[in-house]
Amino acid sequence: MAASVHGYTALSAVAMNANKHQQQKLKVSSKEQAVQLAKRQYRGKVLKVQSSRVNGNPGYSVKLLSNDGVVFYVKVDAKTGRVSRN
């Protein structure tokens, strides 16, 4: 069993540090940021946003409704910050 360190197990502390380190490497670290990037490049109403893999990297899939009624998806690569329409 892992030793307790100030209320957290040592294993939890290592996992938390690894997660912080990974987030620092990412250019996009939240759904809100992904939506901002998608809306900056493509006009429309955001219908849904979810985490997904983009070119093997962590990222987000943003579902939008265009002003002329077309539903389309935009992928946001969290590692590079690239935005692409499917």
Side-chain angles (χ1 to χ4, degrees), residues 1 11 17-18 21 25 30 35-36 38 43-44 52 54 58 63 67 71 79-80 86:
M1 188 168 256
L11 191 56
N17 285 336
H21 183 66
K25 287 186 190 179
S30 71
V35 166
Q36 279 184 327
R43 297 204 180 259
S52 68
V54 179
K63 184 179 182 180
N67 293 334
V71 174
K79 187 174 180 182
T80 65
N86 284 2

Side-chain angles (χ1 to χ4, degrees), residues 19-27:
N19 190 31
K20 281 183 185 178
H21 183 66
Q22 182 181 5
Q23 284 182 345
Q24 288 173 352
K25 287 186 190 179
L26 300 177
K27 291 192 176 185

Side-chain angles (χ1 to χ4, degrees), residues 23 51 83:
Q23 284 182 345
S51 299
V83 179

Side-chain angles (χ1 to χ4, degrees), residues 48-75:
K48 185 176 183 179
V49 59
Q50 64 184 32
S51 299
S52 68
R53 300 297 284 179
V54 179
N55 300 322
N57 294 326
Y60 300 92
S61 177
V62 183
K63 184 179 182 180
L64 294 131
L65 175 64
S66 71
N67 293 334
D68 57 352
V70 177
V71 174
F72 64 99
Y73 292 86
V74 171
K75 297 287 187 181

